Amino acid sequence: MAKSKKRKVTNHSTNNKPPAKQQSAKAAKPGPSPKAKPTIPFHSEDRILLIGEGDFSFAKSLVDHHACYQVVATCYDSQEALYEKYQPQAEEHTKYLEESGQTVLYGINATALDRTKKLINLGPQWDVIIFNFPHVGGKSKDVNRQVRFNQELLVSFFKAAIPLLADNGTIVVTLFEGEPYDLWNIRDLARHSALEVQRSFKFAADVYPGYSHARTLGNIDGGGGWKGENRDARSFVFQKQGASGEKQPEWKRGSKASKKRKREGEKDTSDDDD
């Protein structure tokens, strides 16, 4: 009898199929981090004193775009010299300010504010005093002498401004970053003038529409080799020593990052917000 052939059985069960290749999921690309909101060191209702204005474009922006309505804007130049240096925009800006009910003062010395009757008579004291880009001008080409001259300017300004400051008021000074400005050591100058550093932050010129940095020499044909509003700059906020315990507006209390560091027990050695 012939042997029956065994039939080879192929197992078609899906359980023995090799596992299908799985494509590795691509890691989701993180989205762009939200842009930090720029710091504006005043409120629209503050009594604001501006020192050392150039063509008054900063003052105009405060009124026109930030709805500030208690502004006194001053410059060191006489009215005649100002209009000659910054023609035609200075006259346009000062006219706008005065027509908006603000005060413009000429010939105001930043180192003698406490002895200037025009300011004293305006009382009461100021919530915010702002001095953007102070500089003595080209007194010397020697860097060390320039540093010393500008340090003397700042110390004299601080001492003259303090008597005009409200109890919880602040002084804001903006400087370019890098040398020679870092050599001025503005934090130490303020501490030796009975002030303490409250915070500092990057100055964002684009927050002030219409503002343009005015050179001490006046308008330069072609705009000069650089524009100040495009350079990195930092604003420093100072208050009277011992005033830190007083009630402060939210923007004056320090950044969220600084608060987080304190909650987590990390030593916070910097007043910089960014």
Side-chain angles (χ1 to χ4, degrees), residues 30-74:
S33 56
K35 191 175 181 180
K37 189 176 180 180
T39 300
I40 299 175
F42 54 80
H43 295 296
S44 60
E45 66 271 18
D46 284 339
R47 296 192 75 251
I48 301 173
L49 175 61
L50 302 179
I51 303 300
E53 281 290 280
D55 64 2
F56 287 81
S57 59
F58 183 79
K60 181 178 183 294
S61 185
L62 262 60
V63 176
D64 193 18
H65 295 279
H66 293 277
C68 297
Y69 56 90
Q70 299 185 90
V71 176
V72 173
T74 75

Side-chain angles (χ1 to χ4, degrees), residues 2 4 54-55 57-59 80 90 98 111 128 177 203 210 244 267 272:
S4 61
D55 64 2
S57 59
F58 183 79
E80 182 181 0
E98 291 174 335
T111 66
V128 185
E177 293 189 307
F203 175 79
S244 57
K267 188 176 181 181
D272 295 351

